[in-house]
Amino acid sequence: VQLQAFGGGPVPAGGSLRLSCAASGNFAIRRTMGWYRQAPGKQRELVATITSSGTTDYSDAVKGRFTIIRDGAKNTVDLQMNSLQPEDTGRYYCYGSFVVQIPERPRDFWGRGTLVTVSS
């Protein structure tokens, strides 16, 4: 399974940006997908996830500003980011949990990350 993310870049504070991630390759079951981020000098942290049934989870830092959207038919997961702040700056990684082949156990996959820079 390969995850490819698009949509990062520079944005002024208060602006919006939309990240997209597309999953490709062969797999049997797509489970949770989502986004994590890593700011310079900090550990990678959860941003938002969405399960196969559509249940979402957001970090407190982004709740109310970010929205995660999944298209099951296209195997994509987008992150709509509004009211961006400088503290949102970081590399954003697409994440997915997939069962590649039944009856194997689920495995975690990561994209290479896309950089978001929010200027004050």
Side-chain angles (χ1 to χ4, degrees):
V1 178
Q2 295 82 40
L3 300 176
Q4 189 167 11
F6 306 89
V11 60
S16 297
L17 207 58
R18 188 177 180 108
L19 305 182
S20 296
C21 175
S24 61
N26 295 318
F27 55 88
I29 301 173
R30 182 194 62 245
R31 294 160 43 92
T32 298
M33 294 188 71
W35 292 89
Y36 286 69
R37 69 185 181 188
Q38 187 167 18
K42 295 188 176 181
Q43 290 187 330
R44 191 177 298 188
E45 62 177 5
L46 167 76
V47 176
T49 59
I50 184 166
T51 68
S52 58
S53 60
T55 301
T56 58
D57 185 30
Y58 296 92
S59 71
D60 289 342
V62 307
K63 205 170 291 185
R65 300 188 296 124
F66 291 11
T67 302
I68 189 167
I69 304 143
R70 189 195 67 213
D71 186 327
K74 296 181 180 179
N75 290 320
T76 61
V77 61
D78 289 4
L79 186 68
Q80 177 65 42
M81 304 184 294
N82 298 328
S83 301
L84 282 161
Q85 300 302 317
E87 51 265 35
D88 295 316
T89 293
R91 184 166 291 276
Y92 283 68
Y93 295 89
C94 180
Y95 158 82
S97 175
F98 297 85
V99 174
V100 175
Q101 192 170 7
I102 296 173
E104 294 178 356
R105 301 176 69 176
R107 291 169 54 194
D108 293 341
F109 293 85
W110 295 90
R112 294 174 64 180
T114 183
L115 186 62
V116 173
T117 304
V118 185
S119 58
S120 56

